[in-house]
Amino acid sequence: MRFRQFESTLIVDAPAKLNLSLEILGRRPDGFHELETVMVSVGLFDTLRFDPAPEDLLELRCDQSAAGAGPRDARSRDLPLLSTGGDNLIVRAAKLLKDETGSRQGVRIHLTKRIPMQAGMGGGSSDAAAALAGLNRFWKLGLDFPALHRLAARLGSDVNFFLDSPPAALCRGRGELIEPRPLRRPLDFVIVKPPAGLSTAEVFREWRQDESRTRTPATAEELLQALQGTNPLEAGRMLWNALEPPARRLSSEVARALQVLASSGGPAILMTGSGTACFALCRNRSHAIAVAGRVRQRNVGQVVAVRTAT
Ligand code: C5P
């Protein structure tokens, strides 16, 4: 998360994430799933701009024109329109802060959406974390980090990760228990977001316990260790996502995205989160740019070459 202040305006850049491994340990009594997942922040950002407003006014406007695709990419067919009402996670974060502190201050928020939605890239959660941290600063509420983390966990399972905003982390529980890990060097990826999206809840519902018998190819610790090495592709065979089989059943576009990445020279490929975005872990930046160029010619969806965010 990056902050910039210009007089009375605060701007926050909210990064996307990729899951390099995601194992489901079981269903929990509260309906959620117990996870062990390795996440990295990547340099594709939504931007939230906070401007002063009269007391009690909470206004959210959203520009989604950048969330489609670059000029040479296939535009998403049915790009969902993001709600700017009470169900939007930014609005929910703002209301939670007001309830918690009793503040009646107003704000105008402008969101520039670049992270694809229904992609498994955490865009909504990152926006929520940016709203919590941003408004805490903008309204001078003085909430400390543990207090913000408690609110984050109420908003969604990935919001705590974005609040910490580490380059990499091992996340457990619903995903909200974060152990930040350093990365010795940046990692480069090519991401493909097919036109179709998937709902996280639906993908989790489709997951079957007996599928976990296939087992993770390596522990999360082994993966994190391999990512520190000089050749990140050694981590390639350790990539794993237990939600990939259910997501493939729900959308044929996941398999197609993975197949296009593989045949374009992506050496280590995986779906992120609950999909439908998929990625290739590349040797370095120039390798990622070359793979992205080949993938773009296949017209499979939005394509972006990114590096881990610091
Ligand atoms: O926490 P979040 O709102 O991001 O989760 C969306 C949905 O994904 C949840 O309502 C739940 O159905 C499912 N989920 C789950 N186990 C998790 C995280 C999410 O079942 N650990």
Side-chain angles (χ1 to χ4, degrees):
M1 214 185 306
R2 300 188 304 217
F3 296 85
R4 286 168 285 157
Q5 179 92 42
F6 300 101
E7 296 174 358
S8 57
T9 297
L10 176 67
I11 294 176
V12 184
D13 292 320
K17 57 91 171 161
L18 295 174
N19 300 76
L20 303 193
S21 76
L22 189 158
E23 181 62 310
I24 300 178
L25 306 176
R27 282 204 183 86
R28 309 179 355 160
D30 62 4
F32 282 84
H33 294 74
E34 192 69 17
L35 302 183
E36 187 176 72
T37 178
V38 172
M39 303 217 271
V40 293
S41 306
V42 293
L44 174 64
F45 297 91
D46 284 350
T47 300
L48 286 82
R49 177 189 161 121
F50 302 92
D51 284 299
E55 205 172 80
D56 284 332
L57 182 72
L58 179 53
E59 181 187 278
L60 173 65
R61 285 168 194 266
C62 176
D63 173 7
Q64 274 183 264
S65 56
R72 284 188 294 145
D73 299 322
R75 282 216 164 253
S76 292
R77 274 196 301 267
D78 303 309
L79 196 64
L81 266 187
L82 183 64
S83 152
T84 51
D87 54 337
N88 184 292
L89 275 176
I90 294 173
V91 176
R92 286 179 51 204
K95 288 190 170 155
L96 206 51
L97 280 173
K98 294 185 84 146
D99 289 349
E100 190 73 10
T101 60
S103 169
R104 298 191 54 188
Q105 297 177 79
V107 65
R108 285 198 172 87
I109 307 173
H110 187 273
L111 168 66
T112 305
K113 196 88 198 127
R114 297 187 195 85
I115 304 172
M117 294 190 284
Q118 298 205 316
M121 295 174 66
S125 303
S126 191
D127 294 347
L132 281 180
L135 287 173
N136 188 42
R137 211 182 259 215
F138 187 75
W139 284 334
K140 300 186 171 61
L141 299 175
L143 291 182
D144 60 14
F145 225 49
L148 289 175
H149 267 291
R150 277 193 296 278
L151 299 182
R154 287 166 60 184
L155 288 167
S157 307
D158 289 338
V159 183
N160 297 82
F161 170 79
F162 290 110
L163 197 58
D164 272 353
S165 228
L170 175 54
C171 308
R172 295 199 168 90
R174 277 160 55 208
E176 88 287 16
L177 306 174
I178 313 298
E179 280 177 38
R181 296 299 175 89
L183 279 180
R184 207 168 289 156
R185 28 174 264 128
L187 300 169
D188 290 286
F189 302 91
V190 174
I191 303 170
V192 176
K193 165 61 178 61
L198 281 172
S199 131
T200 302
E202 205 181 324
V203 178
F204 271 106
R205 261 198 308 276
E206 178 71 19
W207 174 78
R208 294 197 301 252
Q209 186 99 42
D210 59 341
E211 285 175 333
S212 257
R213 262 186 265 128
T214 43
R215 303 263 336 130
T216 321
T219 64
E221 293 292 354
E222 284 166 337
L223 170 62
L224 281 159
Q225 198 68 42
L227 291 172
Q228 305 293 347
T230 48
N231 179 9
L233 294 191
E234 278 169 22
R237 63 184 174 79
M238 300 180 183
L239 303 181
W240 165 261
N241 187 345
L243 291 174
E244 200 179 289
R248 280 172 183 261
R249 284 198 293 279
L250 292 169
S251 173
S252 60
E253 294 187 17
V254 172
R256 164 125 172 89
L258 289 166
Q259 183 262 323
V260 167
L261 278 168
S263 63
S264 302
I269 57 170
L270 194 73
M271 185 187 83
T272 176
S274 54
T276 53
C278 299
F279 64 88
L281 170 59
C282 295
R283 271 194 298 281
N284 49 40
R285 180 80 183 149
S286 57
H287 181 212
I289 288 167
V291 171
R294 288 193 286 272
V295 174
R296 278 198 188 99
Q297 288 167 7
R298 307 284 297 277
N299 216 26
V300 69
Q302 183 179 355
V303 182
V304 52
V306 294
R307 177 164 265 204
T308 39
T310 45

